[in-house]
Amino acid sequence: MRSFITIFLLGFILNATSQPTAPILRIETGMHTATGRRISTDANGKYLLTCSDDKTSRLWDAATGTLIKTFRIPIGSTNEGMIYACSLSPDSKFAAIAGRTGSDWDSTFCIYIININTGEIIHRILGLPDIINDLEFSPDGNWLAAALKHGIGVRIFETRNWREYIKLEGYSGEVYNIAFKPSGGLATACYDGKIRMYNNRFELITEKTGLSGQKIYSLAFNPAGNLLAIGYIDTSAVEVRDAIDLSLLYKPSVEELENINVGFNILSFSANGNMLFGGGSFSKINKERNYWYNAIRCWNNAGKGNYIDLPIMKNTIKDIKPLTNGSVAVIGSYPDIVLINSFNKVSWYQSPPSNDFYADDVSHLRINNNGSSIGFTPMNQQAYSFNVLQRKLMEEQSLNPAPKDSNAGTTVTDCIDSYNPFLNGKKILFLHKNELAHCTDISSNGKIFVLGTGWNLYLSDNNGEKIWRTELPDGASAVNISGDDKLVTVALFDGTIRWYSTTDGKELLTFYLHADKKRWILFTPSGYYDASPGAEDLLGWHVNNGPDKAPNFYPVSRFRDQFYRPDIIDAIFETYNENDAITLANQRKGKINGPDQITDITKKLPPIISISSPANGSTVSSNMVSISYSINSPANAPARNIKVLVNGRPVAIEQGINIKEPGTRKIKVNIPQEDCTITLLTENDNGTSPEANLFIKWKEPDKPKQNVVVKPNLYLLAIGISTYNKDQYKLGFAAKDAGDFSSAILQQKGRLYNDVVVKTLTEKEASKINILDGLQWIQEKTTRRDVAMIFFAGHGVNDNNGIYYMLPVDADIERLRSTCINFEEIKQTQSTIEGKVIVFVDACHSGNLMGAGGNYINGLINLLTSTVRGAGAITFTSSTGKEFSLEDPSWGNGAFTKALIEGLNGAASVDEEKEITYTSLSLYISRRVKKITGDKQHPTLVPTPNTPDFPIALAK
């Protein structure tokens, strides 16, 4: 993903402002969402640290690529907080991160030192005069070096007190890379055409000019410290020089790149020194994928021998670091991250989470007359359409109009990646100096046009007079004005599509589609949102806590009761104004009118819980793990209990605590003999804390105990109603679906399960009181080692407040609360079951009986799978969005249950062992239902966070 950063071409003007105290909405995917910058590792190669323009730094398990922790720093609304440099201390205790950091409120820049266990900022190095390009710890951990922009040079700090030790000056260009020599001292790479070598007292001992290029981008010592590899930006040459006198020894082969400025400007030796790795802007065809990828070049014999190219990365390679086991870790700008093992094979790959809307052909962005239906084509992918009001994503080219650069007598030219666009032959004058235009669209009557640039969105009249300017969060790839001229949509480089009012340029709505093409979230600037199943936590609130403290981050699910408002999203396309949309939606719900009822979330914050020990990624050989944790909660809302989950399921609860002041506590947690994730949650009157996760690796003890393998039991509560007391609710196959599913599950007795116990409630038996009794039964019967399943086929409706209800046989939707079952009952049941929980919901047969419309099913799924109110369930639903669940006599069941039973009978098995896991079952159901319904119905699986895949059945 391209993060547009040419704003620095304007030059930097120091203008201190106060740190933003208002919460800031941020996309959160578990991966970087903007340009990847640097990657670092510790002395043992246990962890990887990465940083990005997305204002986060992330800690990864080097062996598996598992995200361990996200480090956040204070940020501003524009460029403040972009992280260009990061380094992990050799002992893996500290992370140093910096970039465009601190200047908005200090007038100078700073480096944040972070405790990697807690994520807390333990120190801030202040007073740096410019942006930080690179950070490196010395191999002994005693020093931290910072490379600065604009000829400022290098600063060296002592890590025992984080004080500045010396300034390395005399530079006339940017310093982009620092390399510590294994035996002491360091070398620096500068755009002034000089390599500088310093001894272990940081005295300049050698300076070399007259090199292959002027702009030196990277340096890398070999482990022996006698070789120094050099990479350039302004030439394709790669050099290996003597690390003492800097004389040229040899040039690794790049013969096909001679005379072009495309090559391998970032370099690294392997840990044993036998290999030299290079990356940069050189791309090559990947024969397996039949597409061009940026290549990692692997030279043998420390760069003197032959080479192979690994075309893996999706854009420019930004950094490479060696690990002690012979692997190398690579980060790209897209962003993507890869670990290459000692055999030059991919160990793991972290793919970019966002869609890339950068395109020379801006016609891919389509919009209908009122702006509620859009079309778009991510780079090198097929076209998609999204209907906002129906919440429907389709794999098809939109037939809506594309943007035009000439319409009704108005023509804009030279606006694609141009500094000098023209309107009817005259230069457009309202752009800033060095502002790059990317795209345009002209209204249906030709009286106005919009221009999207790397920094701003402009609306102008057809005389070239600017009407308004709106600053964009990233560069604009394509723009399109709705047919009624009331909205303009913008596809941005950050992977979002946003709607702005043509009246005043205010942002109205944002659409973010994950790269998996399944999860999406829609949200307004005030944070009102709707989300597809499993996508609710793609968005959260970043809350600064002052310049010296780590911010807090709260997923929007923590404020679901207030901000989950699909009705406000819909009202945007009636009012074209967020405040008016809030008023209209509230009037329809019978609530107090007006946007003045928006609550400041900082006044009702849930607590924060953090784990201080053991360290993430620790290896244990005991089933009992002692965890130290601390809680911070608002003084007027103390935390009151602790919930502990292992792999997404509850294992212990500590009740009755009342913490008003920060402090450290301990709790012992029993874990299975396997790698696992331990999650701690706490709550106060305002809600449930964000998750604190601890990743633990299991190692068998030297003399493992001889345990007898005991199969679990399976408990099923199956509910199905076709013949309701009220004839107008009647369905065709719901009761039969429940009975057939029960029969299929009973076949698992003696296979995967020791016993299968089924309680089936159909037709008259499925009364409200019997269903509630059934929920109590399954909660009491299921132990920690067991599996619980809840199957419901029938009607579900949501009231005007979005609360979802299951309709028992004796339901009356005129008396929802007294005759129907609030789905919170199921949520409460599954969150207190100790074992694994799987819920199957087939409740959308006839749409919303109340006739109020609404995207109710997505909210229900996110409720059932979320850990906000405890442990979530692995949830299968028969459909998504506003789709209906289809029945047909030729199937003998509903489409969902037909596919579900086929899958359990063996069609979803994944291997010779005939295991059927919950993910393999979901994949089969999804494909099968899509086929038999003619793409009219799309079942959904959403697993509980931190729950690994596991078998739920065995085929015959």
Side-chain angles (χ1 to χ4, degrees), residues 342-357:
S342 59
F343 301 101
N344 294 330
K345 301 294 183 182
V346 174
S347 293
W348 52 261
Y349 176 77
Q350 285 287 351
S351 180
S354 304
N355 293 291
D356 190 349
F357 292 132

Side-chain angles (χ1 to χ4, degrees), residues 87-125:
S87 188
L88 193 59
S89 64
D91 60 6
S92 69
K93 291 183 178 180
F94 307 112
I97 61 177
R100 184 73 179 262
T101 45
S103 61
D104 273 12
W105 38 84
D106 290 335
S107 296
T108 57
F109 296 84
C110 72
I111 300 169
Y112 295 98
I113 308 299
I114 294 175
N115 180 313
I116 73 162
N117 277 347
T118 65
E120 290 301 312
I121 297 170
I122 62 168
H123 188 79
R124 201 159 60 102
I125 301 174

Side-chain angles (χ1 to χ4, degrees), residues 688-868:
T688 303
S689 68
E691 299 170 356
N693 290 317
L694 174 65
F695 301 94
I696 293 294
K697 295 182 179 181
W698 175 260
K699 180 182 179 182
E700 289 290 343
D702 294 336
K703 294 181 179 180
K705 296 179 180 180
Q706 300 298 319
N707 294 325
V708 177
V709 177
V710 179
K711 292 182 179 180
N713 292 329
L714 171 63
Y715 295 91
L716 167 65
L717 174 63
I719 305 161
I721 309 113
S722 296
T723 306
Y724 284 84
N725 290 353
K726 289 184 175 289
D727 291 341
Q728 61 266 39
Y729 303 166
K730 186 174 182 179
L731 293 171
F733 290 96
K736 184 175 184 296
D737 285 348
D740 289 351
F741 179 71
S742 297
S743 297
I745 286 297
L746 282 168
Q747 301 304 309
Q748 293 298 318
K749 182 175 181 178
R751 295 184 195 169
L752 188 62
Y753 304 100
N754 176 61
D755 194 10
V756 175
V757 184
V758 173
K759 182 183 286 290
T760 305
L761 302 174
T762 58
E763 306 297 37
K764 294 296 183 182
E765 295 177 336
S767 65
K768 178 177 180 178
I769 190 169
N770 285 346
I771 292 173
L772 293 176
D773 285 345
L775 293 173
Q776 181 176 343
W777 166 81
I778 200 169
Q779 186 271 326
E780 293 174 348
K781 287 290 185 181
T782 309
T783 68
R784 181 178 176 182
R785 64 181 180 84
D786 297 329
V787 175
M789 292 183 178
I790 300 173
F791 177 96
F792 174 72
H795 280 305
V797 301
N798 60 303
D799 66 12
N800 286 334
N801 293 313
I803 298 173
Y804 196 85
Y805 290 86
M806 173 196 296
L807 270 61
V809 68
D810 47 351
D812 182 351
I813 63 172
E814 300 300 325
R815 297 184 296 127
L816 274 177
R817 296 182 66 179
S818 60
T819 67
C820 300
I821 298 174
N822 189 326
F823 249 87
E824 278 283 357
E825 293 282 355
I826 294 180
K827 174 68 178 178
Q828 180 63 29
T829 297
Q830 58 86 17
S831 67
T832 56
I833 292 174
E834 292 186 2
K836 299 180 176 72
V837 182
I838 306 170
V839 177
F840 301 89
V841 181
D842 190 357
C844 304
H845 295 281
S846 301
N848 191 323
L849 291 177
M850 298 188 69
N855 188 26
Y856 54 85
I857 191 65
N858 289 347
L860 167 67
I861 300 168
N862 286 323
L863 172 69
L864 290 177
T865 57
S866 173
T867 58
V868 171

